[in-house]
Amino acid sequence: MTQAAVSELDERVPGRRWTVRLDAAGRGSAAVRISCSRPACPEQRLPSAAAGRAAAVAHLKAHLRAAPAPRPGAYCACRADGCHTHLPDTGRHARAEPWRCGGPVVLAVITDREGRWWKAMECCSRCAAATPGAKTAATSQAPEPQTGEPPTLEAPEAGTPQFSDRQAAAGTGVPAPRSAPVRRRPPQAKIAQRVIPHDLRPVALRDELVELGDLFRAYQQRTEPDLKLLADLHERKAQAFTTWAAVSGITSLLLEARRAEQAATAARFQHQQRTGGIAGSDGPAVSRLLTAPTQGDHARSVLAYVADHSPLPGSEARLLTLMLTLRTARRGTGNLVGQDLNALGLTDPEDLVEELTGCGWLTLPGTAGDLLASRPENPTPITIPSLLPRDGDAGPFTFGKKMRPKLSGWAQKVISDKKLRKAKATAGTRLLALTLATQTDAAGRLGPGGQGIALHALTAWVPIASGELQHLVDQLTTADWLAEAALTDTQLRGQLTERVLPLTCPLPA
């Protein structure tokens, strides 16, 4: 019986097969080339993978339309490809076992998941069904019944693609192809790179952790930050992780809860810095010129540096030194025009500039008069030798090149305040206003926590005698800059007005 089956197999013709491939045309190029195993098909080149994939599919469909119907007498072309319905090669001449195949011969189409090749071949319907992802394009003519009765079903028209997923007729003897196996894992709920156990109890705690994980991921997709919302999320996370640590006994969860508390505090403080809000207050928000806490720290660092390195005594020299330092902080060089000096309220700006150039602290290409006469269309380059970078030294300031113009613009707005100019405030008054703007809390109260500023620190920043300070405070009160001022022998207390809150740089809480 076996010999008869083998003899019958030898009489059958091998199944046809051809492959259409999509490959890169060359390194560094998006072009692709299409090749077909049919000798008469020339190679094609297309500019992109999408165009190449569409052309390859169209090329294969053209072959399927032109190809004759599958031949009933052909044996499987898949027998050498590790088909599941064929026995493995035992070292002898590979041969399909006829008792392992079954059904009519079909024309099957297979493609890889990445869409890099498409293969068409003649095989039996059982092999087509056993090949993952295979689709049947055409079926051979079913043998006529031996009873002489006419067949009840018509075979598909020869040459017309009949894919298995679109066959409406049942009983054709063509098994439906098995889809490619897909491994699916149950989804895992996560928060802060931690997997939330499915059996975590109480259930309310697990639901809270799952919801927080979703909310944090949704926050990362926002186009604009919301620091108040972020602070609330971190507070909820701290509470949830503390409870999780209590029920599970995992110490690292407590550390994560502490970090969440710190993150909530930092986000809350940044929100107050940006909006001018006060903890526990529903007052209106304030849009500050310097929004981030680090920007206020940089402004205070420049004031401290100038207080320690001012080349000349007096408040006028200190104010001019401060403004020139802000102009040249990063590279030691910058541009200046006469209007910049005239807006400072100096008694004799030309004489003061000559004193700075005379002591070597400032270098100009011309005279002080040329500097005062320069206009915006022709600014004067200035150089401060002590700020020039040397041998890779970053200099006294740590902020970047984009921060320098922000700080300089902020200081210019403070000293050029409209009411200060209208009151003809002196250089000392403007320097005091600039200093007080960096020594407030979020509500504008002077000193750390609104407790006032010590006089010895204030006179170090503003070089004036203690007896002159009351006159400057009165000028700031008249200019609607300072309110509720109280000057004692040891400190200055008060509140900056709501008008100037946008110019303040609050101290860290």
Side-chain angles (χ1 to χ4, degrees):
M1 179 177 179
T2 304
Q3 292 179 353
V6 172
S7 176
E8 179 184 354
L9 178 63
D10 291 337
E11 294 177 357
R12 303 177 73 182
V13 295
R16 296 168 298 172
R17 58 187 300 167
W18 67 90
T19 304
V20 179
R21 291 189 59 87
L22 182 66
D23 301 294
R27 179 175 297 181
S29 172
V32 295
R33 60 186 179 88
I34 302 174
S35 58
C36 181
S37 61
R38 290 283 186 94
C41 296
E43 184 179 282
Q44 302 180 47
R45 289 180 178 266
L46 290 106
S48 65
R53 191 169 289 109
V57 172
H59 183 84
L60 181 66
K61 287 184 177 180
H63 276 311
L64 294 176
R65 287 192 297 267
R71 299 164 296 177
Y75 63 79
C76 291
C78 64
R79 62 189 182 88
D81 291 344
C83 175
H84 293 180
T85 64
H86 291 102
L87 295 178
D89 190 3
T90 58
R92 299 175 297 175
H93 181 66
R95 182 181 298 276
E97 303 293 343
W99 55 86
R100 297 296 300 250
C101 295
V105 176
V106 299
L107 187 60
V109 179
I110 313 169
T111 181
D112 69 334
R113 295 182 181 179
E114 291 78 13
R116 295 173 299 184
W117 54 260
W118 296 260
K119 182 185 298 183
M121 63 180 181
E122 282 181 314
C123 62
C124 70
S125 59
R126 181 177 295 175
C127 291
T131 304
K135 293 184 179 180
T136 301
T139 307
S140 62
Q141 184 72 29
E144 296 182 0
Q146 298 297 327
T147 58
E149 298 178 0
T152 58
L153 296 176
E154 296 182 358
E157 182 182 352
T160 302
Q162 299 290 332
F163 290 92
S164 58
D165 60 340
R166 299 181 183 177
Q167 289 180 355
T172 58
V174 182
R178 296 190 302 186
S179 60
V182 178
R183 297 181 180 179
R184 298 184 181 275
R185 295 181 179 179
Q188 292 181 331
K190 288 186 177 182
I191 180 174
Q193 304 301 321
R194 292 178 180 270
V195 177
I196 304 173
H198 291 280
D199 56 350
L200 181 62
R201 295 295 181 272
V203 177
L205 172 61
R206 187 180 187 279
D207 294 342
E208 172 71 1
L209 292 172
V210 172
E211 181 181 358
L212 280 174
D214 295 338
L215 290 176
F216 272 108
R217 284 184 286 272
Y219 183 85
Q220 293 175 350
Q221 303 300 321
R222 293 174 60 96
T223 57
E224 294 293 336
D226 187 343
L227 296 177
K228 185 177 183 301
L229 173 62
L230 182 61
D232 294 339
L233 291 179
H234 279 299
E235 287 180 352
R236 289 178 57 183
K237 177 183 174 183
Q239 296 175 1
F241 270 66
T242 301
T243 307
W244 191 3
V247 301
S248 64
I250 302 176
T251 307
S252 61
L253 294 176
L254 282 177
L255 301 178
E256 188 71 29
R258 300 298 178 270
R259 286 192 290 268
E261 291 176 354
Q262 296 173 359
T265 302
R268 191 82 64 192
F269 177 69
Q270 290 179 3
H271 175 68
Q272 294 171 8
Q273 291 282 348
R274 292 191 177 191
T275 62
I278 310 169
S281 173
D282 297 328
V286 177
S287 179
R288 301 184 190 274
L289 191 61
L290 298 181
T291 56
T294 54
Q295 297 176 352
D297 295 338
H298 291 318
R300 284 182 283 270
S301 69
V302 177
L303 286 172
Y305 175 82
V306 172
D308 295 336
H309 298 83
S310 182
L312 298 175
S315 57
E316 290 195 349
R318 179 71 60 84
L319 180 61
L320 179 57
T321 301
L322 173 63
M323 299 307 295
L324 295 181
T325 300
L326 286 172
R327 284 297 181 95
T328 59
R330 287 288 301 170
R331 301 171 56 187
T333 60
N335 293 323
L336 207 65
V337 297
Q339 180 60 32
D340 297 331
L341 298 180
N342 295 326
L344 300 180
L346 303 176
T347 304
D348 191 351
E350 184 174 355
D351 181 66
L352 191 54
V353 171
E354 289 178 351
E355 290 187 30
L356 291 176
T357 56
C359 69
W361 187 83
L362 177 65
T363 302
L364 299 175
T367 64
D370 297 336
L371 173 60
L372 291 172
S374 60
R375 299 181 61 82
E377 59 269 17
N378 188 25
T380 300
I382 62 174
T383 303
I384 298 179
S386 59
L387 296 180
L388 291 173
R390 296 182 179 86
D391 300 330
D393 185 12
F397 307 115
T398 59
F399 50 82
K401 62 181 181 180
K402 292 184 178 180
M403 179 61 63
R404 188 210 62 76
K406 287 185 179 180
L407 296 177
S408 180
W410 161 78
Q412 194 71 34
K413 281 185 176 294
V414 172
I415 64 174
S416 302
D417 178 67
K418 181 178 180 180
K419 292 195 175 183
L420 289 179
R421 289 186 285 108
K422 187 176 180 180
K424 298 183 179 180
T426 63
T429 304
R430 301 183 190 213
L431 182 60
L432 178 61
L434 193 62
T435 303
L436 295 183
T438 64
Q439 301 297 319
T440 69
D441 62 5
R445 297 186 297 266
L446 298 182
Q451 299 302 313
I453 307 174
L455 287 189
H456 66 85
L458 193 58
T459 54
W461 296 321
V462 185
I464 57 174
S466 301
E468 301 177 7
L469 187 58
Q470 183 64 55
H471 175 64
L472 302 185
V473 170
D474 292 340
Q475 280 194 330
L476 290 181
T477 303
T478 304
D480 192 25
W481 187 280
L482 188 61
E484 303 175 8
L487 181 62
T488 66
D489 294 337
T490 58
Q491 66 176 1
L492 172 64
R493 300 173 69 96
Q495 163 84 46
L496 293 188
T497 61
E498 184 178 351
R499 181 181 71 84
V500 299
L501 280 182
L503 301 176
T504 59
C505 306
L507 293 164

